[in-house]
Amino acid sequence: MKRPTIADIARRAGVSKGAVSYALNGQPGVSEATRKRILSIAEEIGFNANSAARALSGARARAVGLTLCRPARILGIEPWFMGLISGFEAELGARSYALTLQVVATPEQEVEVYRRWWGERRIDGVIVTDIRENDIRIPVLLQLQLPAVVIGGPGDTGPIAQIWSDDAGAITEAVRYLVALGHHKIARVSGVPGLLHTQNRTKAFENVCAALGLDNAITIPADYTGEEGSRATRRLLIGGDRPTAIIYDNDVMAVAGLAVAQEMGLSVPGDLSIVAWDDSPLCSLVHPPLTALSRDISAYGAQAALELLNAIDGRTVGNVEAGRVHLTPRGSTAPPR
Amino acid sequence: MKRPTIADIARRAGVSKGAVSYALNGQPGVSEATRKRILSIAEEIGFNANSAARALSGARARAVGLTLCRPARILGIEPWFMGLISGFEAELGARSYALTLQVVATPEQEVEVYRRWWGERRIDGVIVTDIRENDIRIPVLLQLQLPAVVIGGPGDTGPIAQIWSDDAGAITEAVRYLVALGHHKIARVSGVPGLLHTQNRTKAFENVCAALGLDNAITIPADYTGEEGSRATRRLLIGGDRPTAIIYDNDVMAVAGLAVAQEMGLSVPGDLSIVAWDDSPLCSLVHPPLTALSRDISAYGAQAALELLNAIDGRTVGNVEAGRVHLTPRGSTAPPR
DNA sequence: CCGCATCACTGAACCGGGTAAGTTGGGGGA
DNA sequence: TCCCCCAACTTACCCGGTTCAGTGATGCGG
């Protein structure tokens, strides 16, 4: 089957290619009557502009890129990325922008992918996740002048806009809630320590614990996987001075922690209260259902996509707070026995 | 920063654009010495061919498409798709093919997306998942002559190749295993009934149960979500003739089923054995860890991508079995009390 | 020494849409 | 009546690779 081109439309409408192009793009240069005729012919023959031709003549590629830099095994299980992706799609799809995905192993490979995409003119901008302190990707993006938005922060990303959520406020709320329930020994199992938002959360956790006079508030670093979550939980629970509540940096580790507690014969929430960061169906799936710090990840992703499209269109984009976090209490938290 | 083009290379090498093109693509028409010189210049200035220009001049777009047609909330939690995607990437990335993703709500939208992608010449082929009986996407793909591979089957997809795994054999193995443990009342909670692989599994389940003389082997249709999994499990467990083992069509529903059993005060595996289809970290995360029908989803995806690339290159591709399924026994199965 | 094949390369057309510059035709004002 | 202006087009070239038809130089056999 042959793809229709603007030349086909031009022939059928009895006008030139140029007129068709003006008509289709809503630009002046054709009469209203001609525009309507051309649009109806385009509709009729099912015309879609060849994206390559469009991209080639200096216009947009109408695609944005996303690199995912986590091992496959954890990518799969974490609902976070898929939630984000479906949020992107909501905005991108509406403007028929495509999303190009690349799974990589290291930040260095991410940089390579950015360079390649840029060289190939394959994408108009990128969404950057898992931002680190002094992230090596930022200077490259600036050098290439590749429009971008960073998911996460706040932190130093120079002129590149960040879409962030109030992690500090959220963890403060969670700790206050646990203290209100009567907990004094609260621990935390964190995500990858190198990531900016992990550091922000750790700082906030330490601050609020200090402010509330909780002295043995410890953060054990992990990496978002269930295995590390289990290990960290065991380490916390076998110690003499066992915490009565643990806050996990993601849902997967929280579920793993719950399993460890059950396996050790501890009752949740009787002996141990559990709070998960990022609510997902996973949290309401297990027994007892997990108290979680919820935010609308999809909306977060949609916001990020929107800001990236703004950046691509040359509008300057400031940092935006999105995905308001709130505590959703469920069965995994209660006053300590 | 200006992107280097073949014209830049041509100028620096003192040859024509055509010669550069031949050299870069490994085609005859230039001497070995010139080819080397051109390649080293390309390397030096960091040349990447403009994908739009390449796609425009009749060559490939060097991208393949994937549509995901499930509600966002379940996409997130199911490890299956991310596993598949990272498998695709392994093969695609190696050939610097891009993966273009689109999340949609209905099969009709998927067809629309295929048509648009085709019209835009944005992709060279598509990977089709969640195949149904008489799937409306198949005739469209044939009409558009869009290279494709179907993940799932076996079923009737005409000349489009299928990458399938032996679901029938797997479920037979699971049932035989449960029967060997001493179970007689085995139930199953299935995925979306319209999907081809669900039907294949149901048929195989009924066959093996009939062959082994299990009379009240019932399949309750669900939709892969935790909520439906819980509902189906409750329906099964409150009945008078309660099953002693349940096989779930995915890991999410199995975890939900485990929570329901715990909530009803049933011990797993004492009162109820649970088998999950598709092993993921989720299965080993919960307590007790779930016995699962495992397969290497990533390898499955890689195989699919490989076959699609073959199809794009015009090599005929037959149906391929991939992702050999095997039973991984864990703590959730035992002889009934 | 000539004719022919082969090699290494050049020049130009082409893909399909975007767009600046040029060309009509008609209306309005002086 | 003439002139100017503007809307409504057309023409032609651009983007950056790919490819095909040519071209000049070289080698080789007779």
Side-chain angles (χ1 to χ4, degrees), chain B residues 131-156:
Chain B
I131 190 84
R132 292 158 187 272
E133 211 174 2
N134 300 317
D135 200 292
I136 58 167
R137 294 169 293 173
I138 302 300
V140 174
L141 291 171
L142 291 175
Q143 179 205 5
L144 299 178
Q145 297 182 5
L146 196 53
V149 293
V150 166
I151 294 209
D156 181 28

Side-chain angles (χ1 to χ4, degrees), chain A residues 36-52:
Chain A
K36 276 204 183 125
R37 191 155 45 93
I38 288 173
L39 285 176
S40 81
I41 293 175
E43 173 84 7
E44 186 196 334
I45 64 177
F47 172 79
N48 281 298
N50 181 322
S51 65

Side-chain angles (χ1 to χ4, degrees), chain A residues 5-6 17 21-22 25 54 57:
Chain A
T5 69
I6 53 168
K17 278 186 3 172
S21 177
Y22 289 137
N25 293 307
R54 221 186 220 162
S57 59

Side-chain angles (χ1 to χ4, degrees), chain A residues 8-334:
Chain A
D8 298 326
I9 301 180
R11 207 175 320 112
R12 291 181 62 149
V15 295
S16 70
K17 278 186 3 172
V20 175
S21 177
Y22 289 137
L24 293 176
N25 293 307
Q27 278 185 300
V30 281
S31 67
E32 229 14 73
T34 311
R35 184 187 306 274
K36 276 204 183 125
R37 191 155 45 93
I38 288 173
L39 285 176
S40 81
I41 293 175
E43 173 84 7
E44 186 196 334
I45 64 177
F47 172 79
N48 281 298
N50 181 322
S51 65
R54 221 186 220 162
L56 186 56
S57 59
R60 315 258 93 107
R62 295 189 82 80
V64 307
L66 172 70
T67 53
L68 298 180
C69 176
R70 298 210 186 168
R73 105 201 112 89
I74 169 148
L75 260 185
I77 195 180
E78 250 201 337
W80 158 257
F81 281 113
M82 268 297 182
L84 215 50
I85 288 174
S86 61
F88 297 156
E89 292 281 0
E91 289 298 328
L92 297 177
R95 293 162 179 73
S96 59
Y97 262 70
L99 177 67
T100 294
L101 205 74
Q102 180 94 44
V103 178
V104 297
T106 65
E108 285 72 28
Q109 286 184 347
E110 279 186 287
V111 166
E112 261 174 60
V113 170
Y114 290 162
R115 285 193 188 279
R116 183 160 57 75
W117 277 346
W118 173 82
E120 293 179 348
R121 240 198 182 87
R122 204 180 258 285
I123 47 144
D124 300 322
V126 293
I127 298 172
V128 180
T129 61
D130 283 346
I131 190 84
R132 291 158 188 274
E133 212 174 1
N134 299 319
D135 200 292
I136 59 168
R137 295 169 293 174
I138 302 299
V140 174
L141 290 171
L142 291 174
Q143 178 205 5
L144 299 178
Q145 297 182 3
L146 196 53
V149 294
V150 166
I151 295 209
D156 183 26
T157 57
I160 297 178
Q162 299 167 25
I163 317 297
W164 60 286
S165 62
D166 183 17
D167 284 13
I171 203 159
T172 302
E173 186 181 351
V175 171
R176 281 186 198 282
Y177 169 71
L178 290 171
V179 167
L181 286 178
H183 293 274
H184 297 104
K185 286 177 280 183
I186 303 175
R188 174 164 165 267
V189 175
S190 83
V192 180
L195 301 182
L196 196 58
H197 68 265
T198 305
Q199 296 171 7
N200 287 344
R201 290 177 186 184
T202 301
K203 229 171 291 161
F205 179 65
E206 284 165 359
N207 287 346
V208 61
C209 287
L212 295 174
L214 311 175
D215 34 327
N216 47 2
I218 187 176
T219 290
I220 298 208
D223 67 351
Y224 293 120
T225 64
E227 294 90 58
E228 285 274 303
S230 306
R231 208 166 301 146
T233 307
R234 269 190 212 100
R235 239 180 87 193
L236 283 169
L237 295 182
I238 59 179
D241 202 20
R242 167 194 301 168
T244 59
I246 306 181
I247 301 176
Y248 293 86
D249 255 15
N250 76 349
D251 39 10
V252 175
M253 295 195 298
V255 170
L258 172 65
V260 167
Q262 289 176 340
E263 154 204 315
M264 290 174 73
L266 295 178
S267 124
V268 174
D271 301 314
L272 180 70
S273 284
I274 289 181
V275 176
W277 201 304
D278 273 338
D279 197 7
S280 75
L282 203 53
C283 294
S284 3
L285 223 68
V286 292
H287 183 78
L290 303 182
T291 295
L293 289 163
S294 320
R295 55 181 163 177
D296 187 342
I297 300 177
S298 234
Y300 195 15
Q303 182 80 38
L306 197 60
E307 298 303 337
L308 178 56
L309 292 173
N310 278 333
I312 289 172
D313 286 344
R315 288 187 284 278
T316 53
V317 177
N319 294 355
V320 178
E321 185 180 353
R324 168 137 239 99
V325 194
H326 63 270
L327 188 78
T328 305
R330 295 208 186 87
S332 69
T333 44

